[in-house]
Amino acid sequence: MTIEHQETDRGKNNTVEIAGLDLNFHAFELDTTTPTGGKIAKVAGFNVDQYPYVLQWRDDGDLEELRAQEEADLGKGAKFIVAESDSSNRIAIEGEGLDWPATEISGAVVRKLGGISADRSIYLERAGEPDRLLEDSDIIKIKKDGIEQFRSRKPEVWELNVQGKKIISATPLISVVDALTRAGFDPNAWIIILKVEGQPKRQLSVSDEIDLRAPGIEKIRLTAKDVSNGEARTAPFRDFALLDVDESYLDGLGLQWETRNSDGHRWLIINDYPVPAGYTAMTTTLALMVPPTYPQSQIDMFYTYPPLQRASGAAIPATEAIQSIGGLPFQRWSRHRGSIVPWSPQRDNVVTHLALVESALMKEIGE
């Protein structure tokens, strides 16, 4: 540097930003555009005996070590990281190698160093281990051998069906309490059943976690606890599966339903099914006979228990037959589809048949 350049440089204030390993930067005024590493460390409050390690965080994203007598070009970046350290560890963020003057690093610092936006997830990638999703608050102990690899990805979405309501989780592990709370249910008021394809139903406790990465996880079913005597009701029977559209619709009704193999037939049974005004009862237990080859074969008629009666006392035609289901005498309603709009496996299901049920019930009271 020429004497003329030195004289021009003196007395000129230049602002730099200096941070520790937390990357919380603070502004400092310098009287030169080419400070040495030693000067940066001194301004930051370090003395020579502390062996300060100085890095210039350049505008292009690189971290460059700055030795005590080495001059920095502020035109390449005015941010510096200073730490008490006698060595560095090698890390890579998005494939770019960096020297880090500590044995630990937080997820938040990795995000800042890599310029990773908040809408992306950060993963630690180690050979022979599953990729680890990092929270900003996580602290990673850097391995001495090799290079610690950090990469960002678009967040993975994990879904869980809780009593017909879809829950979206940003992490594959979700607690039962969190899942039920987010679905709008009190976790302590229900018997909680996890349904996994090909496995027996499993009852969960409020202290359990669900790993959504496990294959076959389908849904959580809830059965209300009987608070009158402290005992829980048995979980609803699921002797056979319905179509997904059926189960979603039934869950949305908010009524307890079950599927039963009984008396040589397959039954969908819906408890406390509401009936329109004009009958002597406000609700009934409704049963539909579901053929083994459903939906190729149609659902026909419907059954109620106890038998429904008009409030006027007038008889209801084609309801005289009785069908035993689980030992209870259900009233058979002989209501059938006409030839104009026959059953279609591509179009019809439990949902459309329940529309037929509702129409038939309304018709008998003149609605």
Side-chain angles (χ1 to χ4, degrees):
M1 183 182 292
T2 64
I3 295 176
E4 181 181 356
H5 187 188
Q6 288 177 330
E7 289 176 349
T8 303
D9 218 21
R10 289 194 189 102
K12 184 177 180 180
N13 290 331
N14 294 280
T15 302
V16 297
E17 293 182 78
I18 303 176
L21 297 177
D22 57 3
L23 300 191
N24 289 324
F25 287 90
H26 300 279
F28 294 88
E29 295 292 333
L30 299 179
D31 57 3
T32 177
T33 59
T34 55
T36 63
K39 186 175 185 65
I40 293 292
K42 184 176 181 180
V43 169
F46 288 81
N47 59 54
V48 177
D49 294 338
Q50 291 177 286
Y51 301 102
Y53 194 99
V54 181
L55 292 169
Q56 183 178 14
W57 193 359
R58 294 173 20 170
D59 293 339
D60 60 10
D62 282 347
L63 285 179
E64 189 173 276
E65 182 184 356
L66 193 64
R67 294 185 295 274
Q69 302 304 318
E70 185 179 1
E71 293 182 345
D73 181 356
L74 297 186
K76 295 181 178 180
K79 285 187 174 181
F80 297 87
I81 301 170
V82 184
E84 186 175 349
S85 177
D86 57 1
S87 63
S88 63
N89 293 283
R90 194 71 174 163
I91 64 174
I93 304 175
E94 307 287 45
E96 295 291 333
L98 303 170
D99 289 311
W100 184 245
T103 58
E104 296 178 338
I105 191 168
S106 70
V109 168
V110 171
R111 186 176 296 279
K112 288 181 182 179
L113 286 175
I116 299 170
S117 60
D119 62 350
R120 293 182 67 85
S121 298
I122 300 173
Y123 288 82
L124 171 64
E125 300 179 351
R126 286 175 173 170
E129 299 180 16
D131 295 347
R132 177 181 169 186
L133 175 63
L134 299 183
E135 302 292 340
D136 285 356
S137 58
D138 288 341
I139 304 297
I140 304 304
K141 185 76 173 178
I142 300 174
K143 289 185 175 181
K144 288 293 184 182
D145 53 331
I147 301 176
E148 293 284 32
Q149 298 278 354
F150 300 92
R151 292 189 185 275
S152 71
R153 306 175 197 165
K154 290 183 179 179
E156 293 188 66
V157 174
W158 306 89
E159 297 182 359
L160 178 64
N161 182 320
V162 180
Q163 197 66 15
K165 184 169 183 179
K166 184 188 292 183
I167 298 301
I168 304 298
S169 176
T171 60
L173 286 178
I174 185 169
S175 69
V176 168
V177 170
D178 186 28
L180 266 64
T181 301
R182 290 171 57 187
F185 296 96
D186 179 354
N188 297 306
W190 303 91
I191 299 171
I192 306 160
I193 304 296
L194 178 65
K195 184 178 179 183
V196 180
E197 183 179 2
Q199 298 181 21
K201 295 183 284 289
R202 178 164 63 93
Q203 185 169 339
L204 302 177
S205 70
V206 291
S207 61
D208 285 335
E209 281 191 328
I210 304 168
D211 188 345
L212 300 177
R213 294 168 296 192
I217 287 184
E218 293 184 2
K219 60 196 76 176
I220 282 180
R221 296 290 188 201
L222 303 176
T223 301
K225 293 180 178 178
D226 187 347
V227 297
S228 62
N229 59 11
E231 296 178 356
R233 298 177 189 172
T234 58
F237 285 89
R238 296 288 188 265
D239 289 349
F240 60 90
L242 297 170
L243 301 178
D244 286 344
V245 65
D246 297 338
E247 297 195 358
S248 295
Y249 179 79
L250 291 167
D251 288 338
L253 293 177
L255 304 176
Q256 187 185 58
W257 62 273
E258 55 189 8
T259 54
R260 299 287 300 270
N261 291 317
S262 177
D263 302 280
H265 299 287
R266 305 196 320 164
W267 299 98
L268 165 63
I269 299 172
I270 307 173
N271 295 310
D272 298 318
Y273 187 84
V275 298
Y279 291 95
T280 56
M282 298 178 62
T283 64
T284 188
T285 298
L286 178 69
L288 305 182
M289 185 188 294
V290 182
T293 54
Y294 165 78
Q296 269 58 49
S297 298
Q298 70 169 329
I299 301 173
D300 189 29
M301 303 187 289
F302 61 94
Y303 305 78
T304 62
Y305 176 82
L308 292 178
Q309 298 177 340
R310 290 192 182 113
S312 65
I316 304 173
T319 60
E320 298 83 8
I322 297 297
Q323 171 70 49
S324 177
I325 306 176
L328 297 176
F330 277 70
Q331 177 188 43
R332 187 182 75 183
W333 286 62
S334 295
R335 302 296 184 270
H336 315 282
R337 293 169 180 271
S339 59
I340 297 176
V341 186
W343 175 274
S344 169
Q346 289 74 38
R347 181 188 62 239
D348 289 309
N349 47 40
V350 166
V351 180
T352 61
H353 195 71
L354 286 175
L356 183 149
V357 170
E358 183 176 353
S359 175
L361 293 174
M362 296 291 288
K363 182 180 178 181
E364 294 304 327
I365 54 169
E367 294 290 336

